[in-house]
Amino acid sequence: MTQDTARAPLPAERDAHLLGVLERDGVVRVADLTAELGVTAVTVRRDIARLEREGRLARVHGGAVAVRTERTADRREDTPAETPDADPRTTGSIGVLVPSLDYYWPEVVRGMEAEARRHGLRIVLRGSSYDTTDERPALRRLVESEEVRGLVCAPRMDGRTAPDVVEWLAASGVPHVLVEREAARGPHRAALESVVSDHALGALMAVHHLADLGHRRVGLVLSRESPTSRKIAAGWRAACHELGLTSAEHFERLAPDRKRPEFAGVVDDVVSTALGSGTTGLLVHSDPEASAIAQRAMDRGLSVPGDLSVVAYDDEVASLFSPAMTAVHPPRDAVGHAAVDLLVKRLADPSRPVHREAISPRLMVRESTGPVPR
């Protein structure tokens, strides 16, 4: 008797697996499929490109998302919970442009999809990149090629082309909502419609949590590349002012992208600074950076939270670390729902005032924070 040898899955088998994941989760990632199927990333990307040409999915940065076919529409219409709130003014497609589906954004997009279905709308999703300098071409293609009724987008607001993107949106005549972004235009700083997580409040909650545990010497570590960092820093500084923490009692650091070679050195420096300054509590954006710092502290003989309490910001994977990390949890799903709801209301009433919504995050208290050591 001969033993079956392992073989690479055939294209039809790969398609079945990929589409099955889409049916279950609504999103697939290239990195996950390469591990699950035992094939190269190039093979997975080619499969995704072919299936997109066949109209069976939509490519985004780092993977793909499901498209709403007639078959799935029929199934959803048979389900009372998914019956859309039909309105002839809000039918058709809306375009969505987000930076990626590798981190943070999948849950936001799922919230958008659920809210869109409720209104009988279809989402056309595209991914840009945090490295993209100008999102106007991608937005223009969504409007011209897909004939979308409106746009929900998260453009870069810290680049040199950000004012041009804002002006393009305002001049396009297409209803639009910014998600996890805020912007204003013109000499009177007229605001664009937006839905955001209140990240400043999230940071303030984290600092107050540390202070309630008795921590006075606290530190902040921010991701240098993230557009969220500015708001977290604002909330952090407001909390320090409220609590009377002087500059001698807290420190701040910017961390580079964790893929860069200098990242490990910055992590070690943060732990050394904490030790040297008597810092007993840290707020770190985001989860991977928080995990790296906590791990380095433990490698150097410190106890988390016995010697150093750590709060992560984002709560994507914070609960998986050991000890499970206390984290600020932004309302990603709710932000996605609210962004589409705001766009639907704009489509139904173009003359309504501009709305800007900020949704509060939650503090998830777990095992990585504790009373200040005595």
Side-chain angles (χ1 to χ4, degrees), residues 198-210 231-232 234-240 242-243 283 313 328 363:
D198 193 341
H199 295 300
L201 175 62
L204 187 143
M205 293 165 65
V207 179
H208 274 270
H209 170 64
L210 291 171
K231 292 184 178 181
I232 295 174
W236 164 264
R237 290 162 191 159
C240 289
E242 285 182 12
L243 295 165
L283 170 61
Y313 199 106
V328 178
L363 181 69

Side-chain angles (χ1 to χ4, degrees), residues 37-59:
L37 294 170
V39 296
T40 66
V42 171
T43 298
V44 173
R45 291 191 187 99
R46 287 174 178 166
D47 289 343
I48 288 174
R50 172 172 48 77
L51 291 169
E52 183 181 50
R53 290 193 298 270
E54 296 172 5
R56 303 171 76 180
L57 53 75
R59 279 186 292 178

Side-chain angles (χ1 to χ4, degrees), residues 217-221 236 240 246-253 269-275 277-283 308:
R217 294 187 177 273
V218 293
L220 173 67
V221 181
W236 164 264
C240 289
T246 66
S247 58
E249 294 172 315
H250 66 88
F251 73 90
E252 300 178 19
R253 288 289 186 276
D269 179 66
V270 167
V271 176
S272 294
T273 301
L275 279 171
S277 62
T279 295
T280 58
L282 291 175
L283 170 61
L308 183 67

Side-chain angles (χ1 to χ4, degrees), residues 149 168-176:
R149 299 284 311 282
W168 184 90
L169 285 168
S172 69
V174 179
H176 51 272

Side-chain angles (χ1 to χ4, degrees), residues 306-342:
D307 298 308
L308 183 67
S309 286
V310 181
V311 181
Y313 199 106
D314 267 358
D315 201 26
E316 281 275 350
V317 294
S319 64
L320 302 179
F321 190 76
S322 182
M325 302 195 81
T326 294
V328 178
H329 184 99
R332 293 179 286 268
D333 180 77
V335 164
H337 276 274
V340 172
D341 178 68
L342 207 56

